[in-house]
PDB file of all heavy atoms in Angstrom:
ATOM      1  N   SER N   1       0.822  -1.213   0.000  1.00  0.00           N
ATOM      2  CA  SER N   1       0.000   0.000   0.000  1.00  0.00           C
ATOM      3  C   SER N   1       0.852   1.257   0.000  1.00  0.00           C
ATOM      4  O   SER N   1       0.409   2.321  -0.453  1.00  0.00           O
ATOM      5  CB  SER N   1      -0.927   0.003   1.221  1.00  0.00           C
ATOM      6  OG  SER N   1      -1.803  -1.104   1.197  1.00  0.00           O
ATOM      7  N   MET N   2       2.069   1.148   0.517  1.00  0.00           N
ATOM      8  CA  MET N   2       2.961   2.299   0.541  1.00  0.00           C
ATOM      9  C   MET N   2       3.269   2.800  -0.865  1.00  0.00           C
ATOM     10  O   MET N   2       3.588   3.983  -1.056  1.00  0.00           O
ATOM     11  CB  MET N   2       4.261   1.937   1.265  1.00  0.00           C
ATOM     12  CG  MET N   2       4.162   1.914   2.782  1.00  0.00           C
ATOM     13  SD  MET N   2       3.769   3.527   3.495  1.00  0.00           S
ATOM     14  CE  MET N   2       5.219   4.471   3.009  1.00  0.00           C
ATOM     15  N   VAL N   3       3.184   1.920  -1.846  1.00  0.00           N
ATOM     16  CA  VAL N   3       3.397   2.335  -3.237  1.00  0.00           C
ATOM     17  C   VAL N   3       2.361   3.380  -3.622  1.00  0.00           C
ATOM     18  O   VAL N   3       2.682   4.428  -4.206  1.00  0.00           O
ATOM     19  CB  VAL N   3       3.309   1.121  -4.187  1.00  0.00           C
ATOM     20  CG1 VAL N   3       3.429   1.572  -5.643  1.00  0.00           C
ATOM     21  CG2 VAL N   3       4.379   0.096  -3.850  1.00  0.00           C
ATOM     22  N   ALA N   4       1.087   3.104  -3.270  1.00  0.00           N
ATOM     23  CA  ALA N   4       0.013   4.054  -3.560  1.00  0.00           C
ATOM     24  C   ALA N   4       0.207   5.341  -2.756  1.00  0.00           C
ATOM     25  O   ALA N   4      -0.042   6.443  -3.261  1.00  0.00           O
ATOM     26  CB  ALA N   4      -1.339   3.417  -3.231  1.00  0.00           C
ATOM     27  N   TYR N   5       0.653   5.193  -1.529  1.00  0.00           N
ATOM     28  CA  TYR N   5       0.832   6.355  -0.654  1.00  0.00           C
ATOM     29  C   TYR N   5       1.906   7.289  -1.205  1.00  0.00           C
ATOM     30  O   TYR N   5       1.712   8.507  -1.268  1.00  0.00           O
ATOM     31  CB  TYR N   5       1.215   5.864   0.748  1.00  0.00           C
ATOM     32  CG  TYR N   5       1.261   6.942   1.797  1.00  0.00           C
ATOM     33  CD1 TYR N   5       0.132   7.696   2.091  1.00  0.00           C
ATOM     34  CD2 TYR N   5       2.441   7.196   2.503  1.00  0.00           C
ATOM     35  CE1 TYR N   5       0.169   8.679   3.073  1.00  0.00           C
ATOM     36  CE2 TYR N   5       2.483   8.173   3.481  1.00  0.00           C
ATOM     37  CZ  TYR N   5       1.348   8.908   3.767  1.00  0.00           C
ATOM     38  OH  TYR N   5       1.386   9.877   4.725  1.00  0.00           O
ATOM     39  N   ILE N   6       3.026   6.725  -1.602  1.00  0.00           N
ATOM     40  CA  ILE N   6       4.117   7.535  -2.165  1.00  0.00           C
ATOM     41  C   ILE N   6       3.660   8.219  -3.449  1.00  0.00           C
ATOM     42  O   ILE N   6       3.977   9.389  -3.705  1.00  0.00           O
ATOM     43  CB  ILE N   6       5.361   6.647  -2.423  1.00  0.00           C
ATOM     44  CG1 ILE N   6       5.929   6.158  -1.085  1.00  0.00           C
ATOM     45  CG2 ILE N   6       6.417   7.419  -3.204  1.00  0.00           C
ATOM     46  CD1 ILE N   6       7.022   5.126  -1.223  1.00  0.00           C
ATOM     47  N   LEU N   7       2.898   7.491  -4.258  1.00  0.00           N
ATOM     48  CA  LEU N   7       2.370   8.057  -5.495  1.00  0.00           C
ATOM     49  C   LEU N   7       1.491   9.277  -5.203  1.00  0.00           C
ATOM     50  O   LEU N   7       1.606  10.316  -5.869  1.00  0.00           O
ATOM     51  CB  LEU N   7       1.568   6.999  -6.247  1.00  0.00           C
ATOM     52  CG  LEU N   7       0.845   7.463  -7.522  1.00  0.00           C
ATOM     53  CD1 LEU N   7       1.855   7.929  -8.560  1.00  0.00           C
ATOM     54  CD2 LEU N   7      -0.011   6.332  -8.086  1.00  0.00           C
ATOM     55  N   MET N   8       0.645   9.177  -4.180  1.00  0.00           N
ATOM     56  CA  MET N   8      -0.241  10.290  -3.837  1.00  0.00           C
ATOM     57  C   MET N   8       0.537  11.469  -3.268  1.00  0.00           C
ATOM     58  O   MET N   8       0.161  12.633  -3.478  1.00  0.00           O
ATOM     59  CB  MET N   8      -1.304   9.815  -2.846  1.00  0.00           C
ATOM     60  CG  MET N   8      -2.243   8.756  -3.392  1.00  0.00           C
ATOM     61  SD  MET N   8      -2.981   9.202  -4.987  1.00  0.00           S
ATOM     62  CE  MET N   8      -3.985  10.608  -4.522  1.00  0.00           C
ATOM     63  N   LEU N   9       1.614  11.209  -2.552  1.00  0.00           N
ATOM     64  CA  LEU N   9       2.454  12.307  -2.062  1.00  0.00           C
ATOM     65  C   LEU N   9       3.025  13.114  -3.228  1.00  0.00           C
ATOM     66  O   LEU N   9       3.120  14.351  -3.171  1.00  0.00           O
ATOM     67  CB  LEU N   9       3.590  11.761  -1.201  1.00  0.00           C
ATOM     68  CG  LEU N   9       3.223  11.158   0.156  1.00  0.00           C
ATOM     69  CD1 LEU N   9       4.458  10.580   0.830  1.00  0.00           C
ATOM     70  CD2 LEU N   9       2.567  12.199   1.060  1.00  0.00           C
ATOM     71  N   VAL N  10       3.383  12.412  -4.288  1.00  0.00           N
ATOM     72  CA  VAL N  10       3.923  13.075  -5.481  1.00  0.00           C
ATOM     73  C   VAL N  10       2.821  13.850  -6.201  1.00  0.00           C
ATOM     74  O   VAL N  10       3.005  15.020  -6.585  1.00  0.00           O
ATOM     75  CB  VAL N  10       4.556  12.039  -6.440  1.00  0.00           C
ATOM     76  CG1 VAL N  10       4.974  12.713  -7.745  1.00  0.00           C
ATOM     77  CG2 VAL N  10       5.747  11.364  -5.778  1.00  0.00           C
ATOM     78  N   VAL N  11       1.670  13.224  -6.367  1.00  0.00           N
ATOM     79  CA  VAL N  11       0.555  13.846  -7.090  1.00  0.00           C
ATOM     80  C   VAL N  11       0.098  15.136  -6.406  1.00  0.00           C
ATOM     81  O   VAL N  11      -0.153  16.148  -7.069  1.00  0.00           O
ATOM     82  CB  VAL N  11      -0.629  12.856  -7.210  1.00  0.00           C
ATOM     83  CG1 VAL N  11      -1.880  13.570  -7.726  1.00  0.00           C
ATOM     84  CG2 VAL N  11      -0.266  11.697  -8.129  1.00  0.00           C
ATOM     85  N   PHE N  12       0.014  15.104  -5.068  1.00  0.00           N
ATOM     86  CA  PHE N  12      -0.464  16.281  -4.332  1.00  0.00           C
ATOM     87  C   PHE N  12       0.669  17.202  -3.890  1.00  0.00           C
ATOM     88  O   PHE N  12       0.462  18.123  -3.118  1.00  0.00           O
ATOM     89  CB  PHE N  12      -1.292  15.840  -3.120  1.00  0.00           C
ATOM     90  CG  PHE N  12      -2.652  15.313  -3.490  1.00  0.00           C
ATOM     91  CD1 PHE N  12      -2.849  13.952  -3.669  1.00  0.00           C
ATOM     92  CD2 PHE N  12      -3.714  16.178  -3.696  1.00  0.00           C
ATOM     93  CE1 PHE N  12      -4.099  13.453  -4.016  1.00  0.00           C
ATOM     94  CE2 PHE N  12      -4.969  15.692  -4.049  1.00  0.00           C
ATOM     95  CZ  PHE N  12      -5.158  14.326  -4.217  1.00  0.00           C
ATOM     96  N   ARG N  13       1.881  16.912  -4.354  1.00  0.00           N
ATOM     97  CA  ARG N  13       3.035  17.784  -4.148  1.00  0.00           C
ATOM     98  C   ARG N  13       3.289  18.071  -2.665  1.00  0.00           C
ATOM     99  O   ARG N  13       3.496  19.227  -2.262  1.00  0.00           O
ATOM    100  CB  ARG N  13       2.859  19.083  -4.923  1.00  0.00           C
ATOM    101  CG  ARG N  13       2.744  18.885  -6.420  1.00  0.00           C
ATOM    102  CD  ARG N  13       2.565  20.200  -7.155  1.00  0.00           C
ATOM    103  NE  ARG N  13       2.449  19.989  -8.587  1.00  0.00           N
ATOM    104  CZ  ARG N  13       2.269  20.970  -9.473  1.00  0.00           C
ATOM    105  NH1 ARG N  13       2.208  22.244  -9.046  1.00  0.00           N
ATOM    106  NH2 ARG N  13       2.155  20.711 -10.757  1.00  0.00           N
ATOM    107  N   VAL N  14       3.253  17.019  -1.886  1.00  0.00           N
ATOM    108  CA  VAL N  14       3.576  17.145  -0.471  1.00  0.00           C
ATOM    109  C   VAL N  14       5.092  17.105  -0.318  1.00  0.00           C
ATOM    110  O   VAL N  14       5.740  16.157  -0.769  1.00  0.00           O
ATOM    111  CB  VAL N  14       2.930  16.013   0.355  1.00  0.00           C
ATOM    112  CG1 VAL N  14       3.364  16.105   1.812  1.00  0.00           C
ATOM    113  CG2 VAL N  14       1.417  16.084   0.246  1.00  0.00           C
ATOM    114  N   SER N  15       5.645  18.116   0.279  1.00  0.00           N
ATOM    115  CA  SER N  15       7.095  18.182   0.449  1.00  0.00           C
ATOM    116  C   SER N  15       7.545  17.142   1.473  1.00  0.00           C
ATOM    117  O   SER N  15       7.133  17.192   2.641  1.00  0.00           O
ATOM    118  CB  SER N  15       7.512  19.577   0.921  1.00  0.00           C
ATOM    119  OG  SER N  15       7.139  20.556  -0.025  1.00  0.00           O
ATOM    120  N   VAL N  16       8.379  16.235   1.034  1.00  0.00           N
ATOM    121  CA  VAL N  16       8.897  15.189   1.916  1.00  0.00           C
ATOM    122  C   VAL N  16      10.284  15.611   2.397  1.00  0.00           C
ATOM    123  O   VAL N  16      11.190  15.831   1.588  1.00  0.00           O
ATOM    124  CB  VAL N  16       8.969  13.836   1.186  1.00  0.00           C
ATOM    125  CG1 VAL N  16       9.590  12.780   2.094  1.00  0.00           C
ATOM    126  CG2 VAL N  16       7.583  13.400   0.742  1.00  0.00           C
ATOM    127  N   THR N  17      10.444  15.738   3.698  1.00  0.00           N
ATOM    128  CA  THR N  17      11.717  16.160   4.272  1.00  0.00           C
ATOM    129  C   THR N  17      12.325  15.017   5.082  1.00  0.00           C
ATOM    130  O   THR N  17      11.778  13.920   5.152  1.00  0.00           O
ATOM    131  CB  THR N  17      11.508  17.382   5.192  1.00  0.00           C
ATOM    132  OG1 THR N  17      10.693  16.994   6.313  1.00  0.00           O
ATOM    133  CG2 THR N  17      10.818  18.510   4.431  1.00  0.00           C
ATOM    134  N   TRP N  18      13.453  15.302   5.716  1.00  0.00           N
ATOM    135  CA  TRP N  18      14.155  14.261   6.467  1.00  0.00           C
ATOM    136  C   TRP N  18      13.372  13.795   7.682  1.00  0.00           C
ATOM    137  O   TRP N  18      13.674  12.761   8.263  1.00  0.00           O
ATOM    138  CB  TRP N  18      15.547  14.739   6.864  1.00  0.00           C
ATOM    139  CG  TRP N  18      15.544  15.930   7.779  1.00  0.00           C
ATOM    140  CD1 TRP N  18      15.427  17.236   7.417  1.00  0.00           C
ATOM    141  CD2 TRP N  18      15.661  15.919   9.209  1.00  0.00           C
ATOM    142  NE1 TRP N  18      15.471  18.052   8.538  1.00  0.00           N
ATOM    143  CE2 TRP N  18      15.618  17.266   9.650  1.00  0.00           C
ATOM    144  CE3 TRP N  18      15.829  14.920  10.153  1.00  0.00           C
ATOM    145  CZ2 TRP N  18      15.707  17.628  10.982  1.00  0.00           C
ATOM    146  CZ3 TRP N  18      15.928  15.279  11.495  1.00  0.00           C
ATOM    147  CH2 TRP N  18      15.861  16.599  11.896  1.00  0.00           C
ATOM    148  N   TYR N  19      12.339  14.543   8.065  1.00  0.00           N
ATOM    149  CA  TYR N  19      11.494  14.117   9.187  1.00  0.00           C
ATOM    150  C   TYR N  19      10.825  12.771   8.894  1.00  0.00           C
ATOM    151  O   TYR N  19      10.488  12.023   9.815  1.00  0.00           O
ATOM    152  CB  TYR N  19      10.411  15.159   9.470  1.00  0.00           C
ATOM    153  CG  TYR N  19      10.918  16.425  10.113  1.00  0.00           C
ATOM    154  CD1 TYR N  19      11.197  17.550   9.342  1.00  0.00           C
ATOM    155  CD2 TYR N  19      11.115  16.499  11.489  1.00  0.00           C
ATOM    156  CE1 TYR N  19      11.663  18.723   9.927  1.00  0.00           C
ATOM    157  CE2 TYR N  19      11.580  17.665  12.088  1.00  0.00           C
ATOM    158  CZ  TYR N  19      11.862  18.769  11.291  1.00  0.00           C
ATOM    159  OH  TYR N  19      12.327  19.922  11.887  1.00  0.00           O
ATOM    160  N   VAL N  20      10.621  12.493   7.610  1.00  0.00           N
ATOM    161  CA  VAL N  20       9.933  11.261   7.222  1.00  0.00           C
ATOM    162  C   VAL N  20      10.729  10.016   7.606  1.00  0.00           C
ATOM    163  O   VAL N  20      10.176   8.906   7.651  1.00  0.00           O
ATOM    164  CB  VAL N  20       9.652  11.272   5.699  1.00  0.00           C
ATOM    165  CG1 VAL N  20      10.910  10.910   4.907  1.00  0.00           C
ATOM    166  CG2 VAL N  20       8.503  10.337   5.343  1.00  0.00           C
ATOM    167  N   LEU N  21      12.010  10.183   7.916  1.00  0.00           N
ATOM    168  CA  LEU N  21      12.823   9.049   8.352  1.00  0.00           C
ATOM    169  C   LEU N  21      12.323   8.473   9.675  1.00  0.00           C
ATOM    170  O   LEU N  21      12.662   7.346  10.038  1.00  0.00           O
ATOM    171  CB  LEU N  21      14.291   9.477   8.489  1.00  0.00           C
ATOM    172  CG  LEU N  21      14.996   9.907   7.195  1.00  0.00           C
ATOM    173  CD1 LEU N  21      16.406  10.388   7.498  1.00  0.00           C
ATOM    174  CD2 LEU N  21      15.028   8.755   6.193  1.00  0.00           C
ATOM    175  N   TYR N  22      11.516   9.257  10.388  1.00  0.00           N
ATOM    176  CA  TYR N  22      10.951   8.785  11.660  1.00  0.00           C
ATOM    177  C   TYR N  22       9.691   7.941  11.440  1.00  0.00           C
ATOM    178  O   TYR N  22       9.207   7.306  12.364  1.00  0.00           O
ATOM    179  CB  TYR N  22      10.627   9.985  12.545  1.00  0.00           C
ATOM    180  CG  TYR N  22      10.502   9.644  14.023  1.00  0.00           C
ATOM    181  CD1 TYR N  22      11.616   9.269  14.758  1.00  0.00           C
ATOM    182  CD2 TYR N  22       9.273   9.717  14.678  1.00  0.00           C
ATOM    183  CE1 TYR N  22      11.514   8.962  16.105  1.00  0.00           C
ATOM    184  CE2 TYR N  22       9.162   9.414  16.022  1.00  0.00           C
ATOM    185  CZ  TYR N  22      10.282   9.037  16.729  1.00  0.00           C
ATOM    186  OH  TYR N  22      10.188   8.723  18.056  1.00  0.00           O
ATOM    187  N   PHE N  23       9.176   7.958  10.228  1.00  0.00           N
ATOM    188  CA  PHE N  23       7.950   7.226   9.901  1.00  0.00           C
ATOM    189  C   PHE N  23       8.060   5.728  10.211  1.00  0.00           C
ATOM    190  O   PHE N  23       7.128   5.150  10.789  1.00  0.00           O
ATOM    191  CB  PHE N  23       7.598   7.445   8.426  1.00  0.00           C
ATOM    192  CG  PHE N  23       6.263   6.878   8.022  1.00  0.00           C
ATOM    193  CD1 PHE N  23       5.081   7.519   8.358  1.00  0.00           C
ATOM    194  CD2 PHE N  23       6.189   5.704   7.287  1.00  0.00           C
ATOM    195  CE1 PHE N  23       3.844   7.010   7.982  1.00  0.00           C
ATOM    196  CE2 PHE N  23       4.968   5.182   6.906  1.00  0.00           C
ATOM    197  CZ  PHE N  23       3.794   5.828   7.252  1.00  0.00           C
ATOM    198  N   PRO N  24       9.168   5.045   9.855  1.00  0.00           N
ATOM    199  CA  PRO N  24       9.286   3.618  10.187  1.00  0.00           C
ATOM    200  C   PRO N  24       9.210   3.327  11.683  1.00  0.00           C
ATOM    201  O   PRO N  24       8.739   2.269  12.088  1.00  0.00           O
ATOM    202  CB  PRO N  24      10.660   3.232   9.619  1.00  0.00           C
ATOM    203  CG  PRO N  24      10.901   4.214   8.527  1.00  0.00           C
ATOM    204  CD  PRO N  24      10.298   5.487   9.023  1.00  0.00           C
ATOM    205  N   VAL N  25       9.676   4.270  12.514  1.00  0.00           N
ATOM    206  CA  VAL N  25       9.593   4.089  13.966  1.00  0.00           C
ATOM    207  C   VAL N  25       8.131   4.046  14.400  1.00  0.00           C
ATOM    208  O   VAL N  25       7.720   3.202  15.212  1.00  0.00           O
ATOM    209  CB  VAL N  25      10.333   5.224  14.704  1.00  0.00           C
ATOM    210  CG1 VAL N  25      10.162   5.085  16.217  1.00  0.00           C
ATOM    211  CG2 VAL N  25      11.807   5.225  14.324  1.00  0.00           C
ATOM    212  N   ILE N  26       7.331   4.946  13.842  1.00  0.00           N
ATOM    213  CA  ILE N  26       5.901   4.985  14.152  1.00  0.00           C
ATOM    214  C   ILE N  26       5.218   3.704  13.694  1.00  0.00           C
ATOM    215  O   ILE N  26       4.394   3.126  14.415  1.00  0.00           O
ATOM    216  CB  ILE N  26       5.249   6.216  13.495  1.00  0.00           C
ATOM    217  CG1 ILE N  26       5.896   7.488  14.037  1.00  0.00           C
ATOM    218  CG2 ILE N  26       3.738   6.223  13.723  1.00  0.00           C
ATOM    219  CD1 ILE N  26       5.533   8.746  13.258  1.00  0.00           C
ATOM    220  N   VAL N  27       5.574   3.244  12.512  1.00  0.00           N
ATOM    221  CA  VAL N  27       5.002   2.002  11.985  1.00  0.00           C
ATOM    222  C   VAL N  27       5.380   0.820  12.868  1.00  0.00           C
ATOM    223  O   VAL N  27       4.554  -0.066  13.142  1.00  0.00           O
ATOM    224  CB  VAL N  27       5.477   1.761  10.532  1.00  0.00           C
ATOM    225  CG1 VAL N  27       5.073   0.362  10.046  1.00  0.00           C
ATOM    226  CG2 VAL N  27       4.902   2.820   9.602  1.00  0.00           C
ATOM    227  N   PHE N  28       6.622   0.801  13.333  1.00  0.00           N
ATOM    228  CA  PHE N  28       7.079  -0.300  14.190  1.00  0.00           C
ATOM    229  C   PHE N  28       6.239  -0.401  15.458  1.00  0.00           C
ATOM    230  O   PHE N  28       5.782  -1.488  15.832  1.00  0.00           O
ATOM    231  CB  PHE N  28       8.557  -0.098  14.556  1.00  0.00           C
ATOM    232  CG  PHE N  28       9.044  -1.057  15.612  1.00  0.00           C
ATOM    233  CD1 PHE N  28       9.350  -2.374  15.295  1.00  0.00           C
ATOM    234  CD2 PHE N  28       9.189  -0.643  16.936  1.00  0.00           C
ATOM    235  CE1 PHE N  28       9.786  -3.270  16.274  1.00  0.00           C
ATOM    236  CE2 PHE N  28       9.630  -1.533  17.916  1.00  0.00           C
ATOM    237  CZ  PHE N  28       9.921  -2.845  17.579  1.00  0.00           C
ATOM    238  N   PHE N  29       6.028   0.726  16.139  1.00  0.00           N
ATOM    239  CA  PHE N  29       5.273   0.676  17.390  1.00  0.00           C
ATOM    240  C   PHE N  29       3.780   0.435  17.146  1.00  0.00           C
ATOM    241  O   PHE N  29       3.100  -0.149  17.985  1.00  0.00           O
ATOM    242  CB  PHE N  29       5.495   1.955  18.202  1.00  0.00           C
ATOM    243  CG  PHE N  29       6.823   1.987  18.902  1.00  0.00           C
ATOM    244  CD1 PHE N  29       7.847   2.810  18.466  1.00  0.00           C
ATOM    245  CD2 PHE N  29       7.066   1.154  19.980  1.00  0.00           C
ATOM    246  CE1 PHE N  29       9.082   2.824  19.096  1.00  0.00           C
ATOM    247  CE2 PHE N  29       8.303   1.153  20.635  1.00  0.00           C
ATOM    248  CZ  PHE N  29       9.310   1.991  20.184  1.00  0.00           C
ATOM    249  N   THR N  30       3.294   0.876  15.986  1.00  0.00           N
ATOM    250  CA  THR N  30       1.914   0.532  15.608  1.00  0.00           C
ATOM    251  C   THR N  30       1.779  -0.977  15.451  1.00  0.00           C
ATOM    252  O   THR N  30       0.818  -1.586  15.936  1.00  0.00           O
ATOM    253  CB  THR N  30       1.521   1.224  14.292  1.00  0.00           C
ATOM    254  OG1 THR N  30       1.681   2.636  14.403  1.00  0.00           O
ATOM    255  CG2 THR N  30       0.072   0.909  13.922  1.00  0.00           C
ATOM    256  N   LEU N  31       2.737  -1.574  14.774  1.00  0.00           N
ATOM    257  CA  LEU N  31       2.714  -3.018  14.554  1.00  0.00           C
ATOM    258  C   LEU N  31       2.891  -3.771  15.867  1.00  0.00           C
ATOM    259  O   LEU N  31       2.267  -4.818  16.086  1.00  0.00           O
ATOM    260  CB  LEU N  31       3.814  -3.405  13.563  1.00  0.00           C
ATOM    261  CG  LEU N  31       3.782  -4.849  13.033  1.00  0.00           C
ATOM    262  CD1 LEU N  31       2.477  -5.122  12.298  1.00  0.00           C
ATOM    263  CD2 LEU N  31       4.962  -5.108  12.108  1.00  0.00           C
ATOM    264  N   LEU N  32       3.728  -3.244  16.756  1.00  0.00           N
ATOM    265  CA  LEU N  32       3.928  -3.873  18.061  1.00  0.00           C
ATOM    266  C   LEU N  32       2.622  -3.847  18.864  1.00  0.00           C
ATOM    267  O   LEU N  32       2.255  -4.839  19.509  1.00  0.00           O
ATOM    268  CB  LEU N  32       5.034  -3.146  18.825  1.00  0.00           C
ATOM    269  CG  LEU N  32       5.681  -3.893  19.993  1.00  0.00           C
ATOM    270  CD1 LEU N  32       6.403  -5.134  19.512  1.00  0.00           C
ATOM    271  CD2 LEU N  32       6.642  -2.975  20.740  1.00  0.00           C
ATOM    272  N   PHE N  33       1.931  -2.721  18.814  1.00  0.00           N
ATOM    273  CA  PHE N  33       0.640  -2.592  19.482  1.00  0.00           C
ATOM    274  C   PHE N  33      -0.379  -3.561  18.869  1.00  0.00           C
ATOM    275  O   PHE N  33      -1.152  -4.203  19.586  1.00  0.00           O
ATOM    276  CB  PHE N  33       0.143  -1.152  19.364  1.00  0.00           C
ATOM    277  CG  PHE N  33      -1.187  -0.903  20.016  1.00  0.00           C
ATOM    278  CD1 PHE N  33      -1.329  -0.923  21.403  1.00  0.00           C
ATOM    279  CD2 PHE N  33      -2.313  -0.650  19.248  1.00  0.00           C
ATOM    280  CE1 PHE N  33      -2.552  -0.690  22.005  1.00  0.00           C
ATOM    281  CE2 PHE N  33      -3.543  -0.415  19.840  1.00  0.00           C
ATOM    282  CZ  PHE N  33      -3.667  -0.437  21.224  1.00  0.00           C
ATOM    283  N   ALA N  34      -0.363  -3.666  17.551  1.00  0.00           N
ATOM    284  CA  ALA N  34      -1.272  -4.574  16.856  1.00  0.00           C
ATOM    285  C   ALA N  34      -0.979  -6.028  17.215  1.00  0.00           C
ATOM    286  O   ALA N  34      -1.897  -6.837  17.398  1.00  0.00           O
ATOM    287  CB  ALA N  34      -1.160  -4.376  15.349  1.00  0.00           C
ATOM    288  N   LEU N  35       0.290  -6.365  17.321  1.00  0.00           N
ATOM    289  CA  LEU N  35       0.679  -7.739  17.643  1.00  0.00           C
ATOM    290  C   LEU N  35       0.239  -8.109  19.048  1.00  0.00           C
ATOM    291  O   LEU N  35      -0.273  -9.216  19.282  1.00  0.00           O
ATOM    292  CB  LEU N  35       2.196  -7.891  17.498  1.00  0.00           C
ATOM    293  CG  LEU N  35       2.769  -9.309  17.627  1.00  0.00           C
ATOM    294  CD1 LEU N  35       2.123 -10.259  16.627  1.00  0.00           C
ATOM    295  CD2 LEU N  35       4.283  -9.277  17.425  1.00  0.00           C
ATOM    296  N   GLY N  36       0.422  -7.212  19.997  1.00  0.00           N
ATOM    297  CA  GLY N  36      -0.026  -7.474  21.365  1.00  0.00           C
ATOM    298  C   GLY N  36      -1.536  -7.662  21.424  1.00  0.00           C
ATOM    299  O   GLY N  36      -2.041  -8.566  22.100  1.00  0.00           O
ATOM    300  N   THR N  37      -2.265  -6.793  20.714  1.00  0.00           N
ATOM    301  CA  THR N  37      -3.724  -6.919  20.643  1.00  0.00           C
ATOM    302  C   THR N  37      -4.116  -8.238  20.002  1.00  0.00           C
ATOM    303  O   THR N  37      -5.078  -8.897  20.428  1.00  0.00           O
ATOM    304  CB  THR N  37      -4.323  -5.754  19.837  1.00  0.00           C
ATOM    305  OG1 THR N  37      -3.905  -4.507  20.406  1.00  0.00           O
ATOM    306  CG2 THR N  37      -5.838  -5.815  19.827  1.00  0.00           C
ATOM    307  N   SER N  38      -3.365  -8.641  18.984  1.00  0.00           N
ATOM    308  CA  SER N  38      -3.650  -9.888  18.279  1.00  0.00           C
ATOM    309  C   SER N  38      -3.478 -11.099  19.183  1.00  0.00           C
ATOM    310  O   SER N  38      -4.268 -12.062  19.119  1.00  0.00           O
ATOM    311  CB  SER N  38      -2.728 -10.022  17.055  1.00  0.00           C
ATOM    312  OG  SER N  38      -2.952  -8.979  16.138  1.00  0.00           O
ATOM    313  N   PHE N  39      -2.452 -11.093  20.021  1.00  0.00           N
ATOM    314  CA  PHE N  39      -2.260 -12.188  20.985  1.00  0.00           C
ATOM    315  C   PHE N  39      -3.494 -12.344  21.883  1.00  0.00           C
ATOM    316  O   PHE N  39      -3.972 -13.455  22.118  1.00  0.00           O
ATOM    317  CB  PHE N  39      -1.039 -11.912  21.867  1.00  0.00           C
ATOM    318  CG  PHE N  39       0.282 -12.157  21.184  1.00  0.00           C
ATOM    319  CD1 PHE N  39       1.363 -11.319  21.430  1.00  0.00           C
ATOM    320  CD2 PHE N  39       0.452 -13.227  20.327  1.00  0.00           C
ATOM    321  CE1 PHE N  39       2.589 -11.542  20.820  1.00  0.00           C
ATOM    322  CE2 PHE N  39       1.680 -13.459  19.707  1.00  0.00           C
ATOM    323  CZ  PHE N  39       2.744 -12.618  19.951  1.00  0.00           C
TER     324      PHE N  39
END
C-alpha cells in the first residue's frame, strides 16, 4: 500500500523532508501494538 501512498504524495506535491525518516519508527510501534492486541 505504501506504493500508492508515495504516489499520492507526489501527485499532491507534499514536500517530503528528512522528518519522514521517523515514519518507520511509528510504523514499528503501531505493529507492536497490533501484535499485542492480536495475541
